[in-house]
Amino acid sequence: MTMKTRMKKPSLLRTLIAVTVLAISTTVWAQQPAATLNWKDADIRQVVEAVSLVTGKNFILDPRVTGRVTLLSPTPLGPDALYEAFLSILQVHGYVAVESGDLVKIIPDATARQFASPIGVDGAAGPDDIATQVVQVKNVGATQLVAILRPLIPQYGHLVAHAGSNMLIISDRAGNIARMVSIIRRIDLASDEDIEVVALQHASAAEIVRIMTALTQSPRSDGAPVATSLVADARTNSVLIGGDKNERLRLRTLIAHLDTPLDADGDTQVRYLRYADAEELSTKLQAHFTGQVQAAAGGQGAATAQANNGINVWADLQTNALVIDAPPKMMRSIMQIVDKLDIRRAQVLVEAIIVEVIADEKNELGVTWALEGASTNAPIGVTNFPSFLNGVVQVGSAVGGGATDPTGLIGEGITVGVGRISDGSVSFAAILRALEGDADTNIISTPSVVTTDNEEATLNVGQEVPFVTGSYSNTGNAGGAVNPFQTIQRQQIGVKLAITPQINEGDSMLLEISQEISSISQSAANAVDLITNQRIVETTVIVDDGEILVLGGLLEDALRESDQRVPILGSIPVLGALFRSQKTEKIKTNLMIFIRPTILRDAATTAFETNAKYNMIREIQRGGQNADIQLMPGRSRPMLPPLDGSEDYPLEDVEPQEDTDQ
């Protein structure tokens, strides 16, 4: 029974629609007259079917299109009027008809803008068609219009502003787009806004803009935004004013009131410097402006020029400040120069890396002997090689002279002597000397210094060694006493580094370097005084920030072989060793000097490099903290405090005081 009831309603409705459509069709085909339609609670899909039969259009329905339609038409409607009424029905129910060729898509309003639509209102077939319009805005900001037009756009519409081209993109029904375009044209009108340039005679443009900006940036009582803009042109000392005519007039009046001369002929200001030296800068400024006046006056004297220009600059050393007395117009020029000179100058950390590796190998072997007859003190035969070693002659003379310990004559290595001294028979003596030496030296020095750009820095690390330059003796008047004395000159021995950096554009630097490395030689044979070794490099180089550059060096491999012998006898196999002395020395020296500069442009970089060096020394000290101090158990070794102050500085141990209370 329920199933039959459900089937009857669609059948009756379809019959009603079919009869209506038949009546309309018959009338249209016969004479194209108007038809009267009366739909009550009809299914929208059936209405679409009927409209399709009458108008001949092909419809595609979205599955989401559902609903009931009621249309009461007391007056007859033609096919065109019927289609317009059908579009209105769709709009009321939240649907839209989108034409695509010979097809008409009926879809919900929310998804209508995703489908292709005519570009511009002119391309739309009717006011209810979905269209997209691009509107060029000329005089106002497109972004500002979005907030005004947003309430006029339905939910399915779209409104966006393109700030780069100052355009509005509108997607909506053609009728609503035309209405919004009309509103935009009424708003987008040229105003009387313009830009004026006000040249100042006495005041500073930057100071005037600062004062006027503070006045104009306060919010208005009506909530409207501030429509004026102020810009200072320091080159021409002018103020640029932008805005409408009334605001420009008000600002121009205020500027004219402020641009008045002072009562006095000049103005005095105190400028505290942050980085520059006040005394040096004051001298340069005074010389600069005095020279300008001298040139303008045709070479007048300094006194006349000083009296004419009215500028006086002097430095306060205690506060590092400039006291400037000058007319307002010249004061602006002076302040601009001071601003450009009082800047933080970059610093340069220069590290010199000195690497010296020396390998010294030495071998010596020699025999000297003397033979004396039985009846005479004159020797019969002697071998002596004094260039290598002190032989039996030198040692024998020292012993004969009463020296019990001729250590000055006995060199390095082993010295073995044999012999016999007799008054009635032959006396003889022989000395054998042998030496084998091997010495390796490996020195790495990294002196470093920090200096300001274009300022010379010098670093000396070493000792002052006395050198004898002369000796004298005087005979006094009292008893013929002798007063000997010597003159001594002290000379620095060690590492000397003098450098002047110049930071170029980018990260490169020009360095004027003077590097000297000196030391006392270990070998002073046949020398009157000390012997010093010197390595000096003086050059000018270009190096990038943080890069290592080689300045110079020495690569030396020396081999010295000496052989002294008695002719013929020294060449005899085995036995000839008693008549010769040999010496071989091989020295290999590798010395290289490198430079590594680092630009310290700001305080952060300076602090980083400083902390790195500081912490490196602390780590070296920390490595020896676990070892006890000899004969002082329980005492701590000195150590640098941390930079962040997280640890307490180790205090020196204080000896306990004796208790004097009895």
Side-chain angles (χ1 to χ4, degrees), residues 588-628:
K588 187 175 183 179
T589 303
N590 296 326
L591 173 65
M592 296 299 281
I593 302 175
F594 304 88
I595 199 77
R596 179 172 64 185
T598 303
I599 302 176
L600 309 177
R601 297 187 181 276
D602 49 26
T605 307
T606 304
F608 175 80
E609 295 293 340
T610 302
N611 295 347
K613 298 292 184 183
Y614 193 91
N615 293 329
M616 180 188 67
I617 299 298
R618 290 194 77 248
E619 290 299 324
I620 295 175
Q621 294 177 335
R622 189 187 299 273
Q625 288 296 309
N626 296 328
D628 293 333

Side-chain angles (χ1 to χ4, degrees), residues 253-271:
T253 304
L254 293 176
I255 293 174
H257 177 73
L258 296 176
D259 187 29
T260 56
L262 300 176
D263 296 335
D265 294 335
D267 188 21
T268 302
Q269 292 191 17
V270 178
R271 177 65 178 271

Side-chain angles (χ1 to χ4, degrees), residues 96 103 135 158 181 187 223 487 544 573 626:
V96 62
L103 300 177
V135 183
H158 183 67
V181 169
I187 297 176
T487 58
D544 293 334
N626 296 328

Side-chain angles (χ1 to χ4, degrees), residues 459-475:
L459 176 67
N460 295 332
V461 180
Q463 296 176 331
E464 286 190 350
V465 180
F467 291 85
V468 179
T469 59
S471 61
Y472 306 90
S473 61
N474 294 332
T475 302

Side-chain angles (χ1 to χ4, degrees), residues 130-189:
I130 299 295
T132 302
Q133 180 79 19
V134 180
V135 183
Q136 177 68 57
V137 184
K138 299 180 180 179
N139 300 300
V140 297
T143 307
Q144 300 176 357
L145 294 178
V146 172
I148 300 174
L149 301 176
R150 181 69 68 184
L152 303 180
I153 299 293
Q155 184 178 1
Y156 58 85
H158 183 67
L159 175 64
V160 67
H162 186 257
S165 59
N166 201 38
M167 291 183 177
L168 287 174
I169 302 175
I170 308 173
S171 180
D172 198 357
R173 298 185 185 275
N176 196 31
I177 292 177
R179 181 166 65 98
M180 286 189 292
V181 169
S182 178
I183 296 174
I184 294 171
R185 296 295 182 241
R186 295 186 178 184
I187 297 176
D188 188 24
L189 298 177

